[in-house]
Amino acid sequence: MPAQMPAVVVDGLENQFRLLKVWEAPDRDAFMREVASEVRGVALGGHTKVDAAFMDRFPKLEIVSSFGVGYDYIDAAEAGRRGIMVTNTPDVLTDEVADLTVGLLIATVRQLPQVDRYLREGRWLEKPYPLTATLRGRKVGILGLGRIGKAVARRLEGFGLPISYHGRNRQADVSYDYYPTLAGLAEAVDILISVAPGSAETDKIVNAEVFRALGPDGIFVNVGRGSVVDEPALIEALRSKTILSAGLDVFADEPRVSKELIDMEHVVLLPHVGSASVETRRAMGQLVVDNLVSWFAGKGPLTPVAETPHRR
């Protein structure tokens, strides 16, 4: 384990394996060189880049069990070429992230954090808070209609909002309107929600063109990956009122957040807490453990990623 993870992972793995806690070593590189020939599995939570050089260090490595749905910090294609399994933790966080997404959208449209600050500062005593925008009459576009994207869409259907989406391909079993280009989707809607994973394919695809298409009444919400957004273009779109507002749970250089965004009163910023409830994080941690236990029991991985397919 290169960096510390939740107690459910540490305790669960210590009960089953010899767990090498790299973060406790005075000299981490020296410690990893010392134990490299023994390591068959790695458990990590996004703190460590797993590329070809990392894999080269561990000649007996069989599996990397990752905490979270996104695994853009792992070169899973390279792992697949080497026969190294990569697993993640899908499904157990779907509802939590979808709930947070809807909450972030409402908070952004109705300016809930700003209203809260207004009251706490005693300004309600002076005059009522200004009127806000509304969800009524809006159309929603979703970038990345996977498990979480579909869960968000189902929730927003309950608000009476029409749903459209963009992805690599049209999904045959989905009734929502499909747009083959992201700019086309943005032009057709006034709320754009990104649930897209980080990858070379999605890097900075939400750009100035997309924000212009979204328009001056547009709301942008991102709960996927910060790398999907051209952050300087987003800042300029917010500054110039090319779009109305944004609600962001992810950023380009986490945990560092651009001062320009922090200084903007009309945006809502969260510190990547989409799945951050006690129950959900416990379930994610347990799945990290369960993948490793299942693999070393000879039963195969429970949740392999697409780049490293495995047939039981």
Side-chain angles (χ1 to χ4, degrees):
M1 188 180 293
Q4 190 165 10
M5 295 180 70
V8 64
V9 184
V10 176
D11 295 345
L13 293 179
E14 284 190 315
N15 287 336
Q16 298 283 339
F17 307 103
R18 179 184 172 212
L19 180 61
L20 304 174
K21 301 176 183 178
V22 178
W23 76 91
E24 292 184 347
D27 185 334
R28 299 183 184 189
D29 283 340
F31 178 71
M32 283 203 287
R33 285 195 299 271
E34 180 184 336
V35 301
S37 63
E38 304 174 67
V39 173
R40 295 174 59 199
V42 171
L44 51 83
H47 310 286
T48 304
K49 184 177 181 181
V50 178
D51 54 12
F54 181 94
M55 298 177 212
D56 284 343
R57 303 179 76 167
F58 304 106
K60 295 181 181 177
L61 183 61
E62 299 174 26
I63 181 170
V64 176
S65 185
S66 175
F67 183 95
V69 172
Y71 51 94
D72 43 310
Y73 51 90
I74 301 172
D75 189 342
E78 176 63 21
R81 285 190 289 271
R82 295 173 182 233
I84 298 171
M85 181 56 56
V86 177
T87 63
N88 62 345
T89 60
D91 299 319
V92 293
L93 51 65
T94 297
D95 287 332
E96 201 74 76
V97 177
D99 291 347
L100 187 282
T101 303
V102 174
L104 179 55
L105 171 59
I106 295 172
T108 303
V109 174
R110 296 302 311 278
Q111 301 180 6
L112 298 187
Q114 297 92 323
V115 172
D116 177 85
R117 290 195 295 270
Y118 189 89
L119 182 149
R120 292 175 187 273
E121 293 167 0
R123 298 167 66 188
W124 190 20
L125 297 169
E126 303 168 7
K127 59 182 179 179
Y129 190 84
L131 302 180
T132 70
T134 181
L135 279 180
R136 301 305 96 218
R138 287 183 175 270
K139 298 177 181 178
V140 176
I142 296 178
L143 169 61
L145 199 70
R147 295 177 179 92
I148 296 172
K150 287 184 173 73
V152 171
R154 287 194 298 271
R155 284 157 172 76
L156 293 178
E157 282 188 272
F159 286 79
L161 303 178
I163 310 294
S164 306
Y165 73 102
H166 168 72
R168 282 175 293 183
N169 301 294
R170 182 192 297 272
Q171 299 186 35
D173 59 344
V174 170
S175 61
Y176 308 130
D177 289 339
Y178 172 73
Y179 286 81
T181 68
L182 181 53
L185 174 66
E187 189 171 7
V189 302
D190 41 34
I191 294 172
L192 179 62
I193 300 175
S194 176
V195 199
S199 68
E201 184 180 6
T202 63
D203 188 59
K204 295 182 177 60
I205 60 171
V206 182
N207 53 28
E209 178 190 10
V210 171
F211 294 128
R212 285 193 298 269
L214 189 57
D217 290 325
I219 303 284
F220 175 63
V221 173
N222 190 8
V223 297
R225 276 289 188 265
S227 63
V228 171
V229 181
D230 182 340
E231 202 163 274
L234 171 59
I235 291 168
E236 179 55 32
L238 290 164
R239 182 186 291 124
S240 64
K241 300 184 179 178
T242 300
I243 64 173
L244 182 63
S245 187
L248 309 173
D249 186 43
V250 290
F251 303 89
D253 186 26
E254 297 177 9
R256 290 160 290 277
V257 177
S258 165
K259 187 174 186 300
E260 290 94 333
L261 287 172
I262 291 173
D263 288 344
M264 289 179 178
E265 177 63 20
H266 64 303
V267 302
V268 178
L269 309 175
L270 305 180
H272 202 153
V273 293
S275 63
S277 73
V278 172
E279 181 178 344
T280 295
R281 289 288 173 88
R282 184 183 297 120
M284 292 166 64
Q286 188 60 54
L287 188 49
V288 170
V289 174
D290 291 346
N291 267 299
L292 289 164
V293 170
S294 181
W295 175 263
F296 287 113
K299 299 177 181 178
L302 301 177
T303 50
V305 305
E307 293 88 343
T308 55
H310 177 82
R311 213 172 273 173
R312 282 176 178 268

